Amino acid sequence: MPYSEDKVVMPIPRGVMVALLTPLFSLYMISLTAAKRAGGGHNFKFEYVTVTLLQELCKFVTACICFQREAQLRDHPTSLHIARFALFGVPGLLYGFDNNLQYVILEFLQPTELAVLWNFKIFATVVLMHCFLGRRYTSWQWAALVALVFGCALTQVPRLPAWSELPLPTVVNGHSTHHSVAVSSTSAASASQVGMSTKLVGCLLAVVGSTIAASSNVYCEWLVKQQPEESIHFQNMQLYFFGIVLNGATLLTKAAWDPESPVHGPDGLVTGYDGWVWMIVLLGTANGIAISVALKFADNLAVIFSHVLTVLIVAAVSAEWFDLTLSAPFICGSVLVFFGLLAFHAAARGKESSLGPPTNEATESTTFATHSRAKHVPKACGNRPLALGADFSPSGRGIVVK
């Protein structure tokens, strides 16, 4: 049967997307943990920009192959409008920047800590969806968000030493060791201050990164749902193109200005690569494609719910396999984040049931985008879309992709 762009886009239930995204996110963070551990626990042995570039290339090639197969079933070509194509540059460039920023943050934090702090994206996402997509939330939902943010902050509270671990002055051969203990305590305090400053920088960068990720996801959801009948593969091709451009330019800049970059190593671009790094490339590709599916056929909440569940899984695996010690504040904060999310979701369910018959949660933002499409989508230049034929040759009407 020929493909029709007039067919109704079937939404995917949020629960299905959460079940798909959670294991992907968890495996990705576990792979990052293993790769950082292989590098000594502080830095990665590979050039992280090469990883993000490979991810964008793999996603772009996958989208091209899927779109080509889909195009064989189409009864008419797809037009590429330059103005709309430029709109994909906003989330594309933000995603590219944010993906590289995560590796910078991991120089200050452990992957498990980043996974928890990344849940600040929930607060940023809800605020942005309220402001720009017209979503409304109850007072209980806002209270749940406050608890969630407090939980994220609680995970980074420094661990307090037990009384039994505090050094006490003793007498040896009639002389007090108080002075040596004071010197030792001063050194420990100095190291603690350095560790605290490092954590603070990492936390601030994580808040910035999670806010950028939230902005990218909200904007991308709005953009892809403006034309729900448009092929998701065609949309992904436009999105990933800008990621390739940004990461390619970043890699060239680092190679030219950073003589200590691993790309100058014996294996070139793949210096320091091992099985875990290739797993990161593969899982990063799968995550990007799965998130695009969630944004088009479900919503942002499916993505952020998955991130919360990922925290619990990654923390448990890191404690068991990577000898990560989970402090009491970290555990309490993670639990508070989890229950804050449950309270937010329960309040949303209660709101739906009080307003009337159950509605399909996956179509909530799609409905808004569909009704506002004509108002918000910029027109193509001069109302004349640039077109290419099947062989990408110029035609009089626009860029037509068959």
Side-chain angles (χ1 to χ4, degrees):
M1 177 182 293
Y3 177 86
S4 175
E5 290 190 353
D6 296 328
K7 68 179 182 179
V8 177
V9 178
M10 297 300 294
I12 300 177
R14 187 181 296 155
V16 174
M17 289 307 310
V18 171
L20 172 65
L21 291 171
T22 300
L24 288 175
F25 290 167
S26 301
L27 290 173
Y28 183 74
M29 294 304 298
I30 292 171
S31 298
L32 280 174
T33 304
K36 186 174 182 179
R37 186 181 180 87
H42 298 286
N43 296 310
F44 294 100
K45 296 188 300 182
F46 57 91
E47 176 55 69
Y48 59 83
V49 184
T50 62
V51 172
T52 55
L53 178 59
L54 283 174
Q55 290 172 350
E56 294 300 318
L57 285 171
C58 290
K59 289 186 289 187
F60 182 79
V61 171
T62 302
C64 289
I65 294 174
C66 293
F67 179 73
Q68 180 62 31
R69 296 192 62 178
E70 183 184 73
Q72 297 174 358
L73 303 177
R74 289 179 177 272
D75 53 2
H76 57 281
T78 301
S79 297
L80 176 64
H81 296 262
I82 296 301
R84 180 168 170 80
F85 171 70
L87 293 179
F88 280 95
V90 177
L93 296 176
L94 288 177
Y95 280 136
F97 174 80
D98 199 56
N99 290 338
N100 289 298
L101 180 61
Q102 289 185 38
Y103 287 94
V104 177
I105 298 173
L106 288 174
E107 295 181 3
F108 302 92
L109 302 174
Q110 293 299 322
T112 305
E113 296 173 319
L114 176 59
V116 175
L117 291 174
W118 212 248
N119 284 310
F120 182 80
K121 183 174 69 172
I122 301 175
F123 179 80
T125 299
V126 169
V127 171
L128 290 171
M129 292 174 72
H130 173 73
C131 295
F132 297 103
L133 295 185
R135 298 288 185 88
R136 296 182 179 180
Y137 301 99
T138 65
S139 56
W140 282 105
Q141 288 177 296
W142 288 112
L145 286 176
V146 172
L148 189 146
V149 173
F150 179 73
C152 288
L154 184 60
T155 61
Q156 297 305 305
V157 172
R159 192 183 318 169
L160 299 178
W163 284 103
S164 60
E165 298 175 354
L166 293 177
L168 298 176
T170 58
V171 177
V172 179
N173 296 328
H175 298 282
S176 174
T177 60
H178 180 80
H179 175 71
S180 62
V181 171
V183 173
S184 176
S185 300
T186 302
S187 301
S190 177
S192 177
Q193 291 177 356
V194 173
M196 282 295 297
S197 61
T198 300
K199 292 285 186 183
L200 180 60
V201 173
C203 292
L204 293 177
L205 290 177
V207 171
V208 173
S210 59
T211 303
I212 293 175
S215 304
S216 305
N217 285 346
V218 171
Y219 184 90
C220 193
E221 180 183 348
W222 170 81
L223 185 59
V224 298
K225 287 179 177 177
Q226 289 297 316
Q227 296 186 9
E229 73 285 350
E230 188 176 48
S231 169
I232 183 176
H233 309 302
F234 185 59
Q235 293 174 337
N236 284 344
M237 288 167 57
Q238 301 173 74
L239 179 67
Y240 301 146
F241 170 81
F242 290 98
I244 293 173
V245 172
L246 177 64
N247 283 284
T250 303
L251 180 59
L252 291 176
T253 302
K254 288 204 68 176
W257 292 92
D258 186 6
E260 297 182 358
S261 173
V263 297
H264 300 297
D267 296 325
L269 296 177
V270 295
T271 298
Y273 274 47
D274 56 16
W276 287 113
V277 179
W278 288 112
M279 184 67 73
I280 292 173
V281 174
L282 177 63
L283 290 171
T285 301
N287 282 341
I289 296 174
I291 290 175
S292 68
V293 172
L295 296 180
K296 185 173 180 66
F297 298 108
D299 59 12
N300 263 291
L301 295 182
V303 179
I304 59 180
F305 288 171
S306 302
H307 275 295
V308 173
L309 297 177
T310 297
V311 172
L312 304 178
I313 297 174
V314 173
V317 172
S318 298
E320 181 67 24
W321 288 359
F322 302 111
D323 299 326
L324 176 67
T325 302
L326 302 180
S327 64
F330 183 91
I331 295 175
C332 293
S334 300
V335 171
L336 188 58
V337 168
F338 179 70
F339 281 103
L341 178 66
L342 289 181
F344 181 89
H345 188 59
R349 287 292 190 181
K351 176 184 175 182
E352 290 178 359
S353 60
S354 64
L355 290 178
T359 58
N360 192 323
E361 59 191 10
T363 61
E364 183 179 354
S365 57
T366 308
T367 304
F368 172 83
T370 303
H371 288 307
S372 61
R373 177 174 53 191
K375 178 180 178 181
H376 293 286
V377 173
K379 295 181 180 180
C381 302
N383 291 328
R384 293 182 58 192
L386 182 63
L388 292 179
D391 57 350
F392 294 97
S393 59
S395 68
R397 294 180 302 145
I399 297 181
V400 180
V401 183
K402 294 185 177 179

